Amino acid sequence: MAVMDAKAYAEHRKVSAPMVTKYLQQGMIPSAKRIGRKWIIDAELADKDLEKTLNPNEKKAKQKTTKLDLRSGHQTPLPSLAANRAIREMYAARITKLEFEERSKKLVPVDELKLELAKLHLVVRDNLRTIPDRIAPLVAAETDKGKIHSIILQEIRQCLEGLKSFDIS
């Protein structure tokens, strides 16, 4: 355990005294103690402290490097040419798959779907709105709840059966 001041530690490290002062001011040598205007430095502990802060490459070497994830498209800051080609091919394959599914009628454009659903909605609405006009005289003549229920149910069923013939282009 060699205890010394900042100037002696600079000679020990073979660096300038201002450099050691800079290390101390930046907190790079936490084992050093300040007494008044002087620094008391344990050379062995200070060397270890500086090795940790000045050579962070050891930690980086132990950590795994970031790899390219082809599925999500995440990449390292500077991907290689091969990685860029792989990403481009992945997106080209996705576009080709979408085009195939659209041609095979597995996918349809949203606008077309909205239009067809709007047409279906109009047919259902119109059919349901005409039910009261068709069955009102029949229901008015009946007094039996079961018979009234049966008439209404039959009309609703006919209305829904008519939707089977609705043509979705």
Side-chain angles (χ1 to χ4, degrees), residues 120-131 134 159:
L120 179 63
H121 173 261
L122 290 174
V123 170
V124 169
R125 185 193 66 188
D126 291 344
N127 284 349
L128 290 176
R129 281 185 174 173
T130 60
I131 290 176
R134 286 194 309 264
C159 204

Side-chain angles (χ1 to χ4, degrees), residues 18-32:
M19 185 55 116
V20 171
T21 304
K22 186 176 178 182
Y23 292 157
L24 292 166
Q25 288 172 346
Q26 291 180 354
M28 296 171 76
I29 309 174
S31 61

Side-chain angles (χ1 to χ4, degrees), residues 91-146:
Y91 284 116
R94 286 180 180 176
I95 289 171
T96 304
K97 180 181 176 186
L98 287 174
E99 288 172 353
F100 169 77
E101 288 178 348
E102 187 175 348
R103 288 183 187 151
S104 64
K105 301 291 183 186
K106 288 183 180 179
L107 291 178
V108 292
V110 173
D111 296 337
E112 289 180 23
L113 182 63
K114 285 182 179 179
L115 182 64
E116 293 299 321
L117 287 174
K119 288 178 185 176
L120 179 63
H121 173 261
L122 290 174
V123 170
V124 169
R125 185 193 66 188
D126 291 344
N127 284 349
L128 290 176
R129 281 185 174 173
T130 60
I131 290 176
D133 295 335
R134 286 194 309 264
I135 65 170
L138 298 172
V139 173
E142 287 296 329
T143 56
D144 182 24
K145 287 182 179 180

Side-chain angles (χ1 to χ4, degrees), residues 66-92:
T66 306
K67 293 185 178 179
L68 178 65
D69 183 5
L70 295 177
R71 289 185 174 249
S72 67
H74 295 295
Q75 52 187 325
T76 59
L78 295 172
S80 67
L81 180 61
N84 278 331
R85 284 184 180 162
I87 291 170
R88 187 181 68 223
E89 291 298 322
M90 175 192 61
Y91 284 116

Side-chain angles (χ1 to χ4, degrees), residues 7 18 30 33 40 43 45 74 77 93 139-140 158 165:
K7 189 174 184 180
K33 306 276 189 245
I40 305 297
L45 291 175
H74 295 295
V139 173
Q158 282 178 352
S165 62

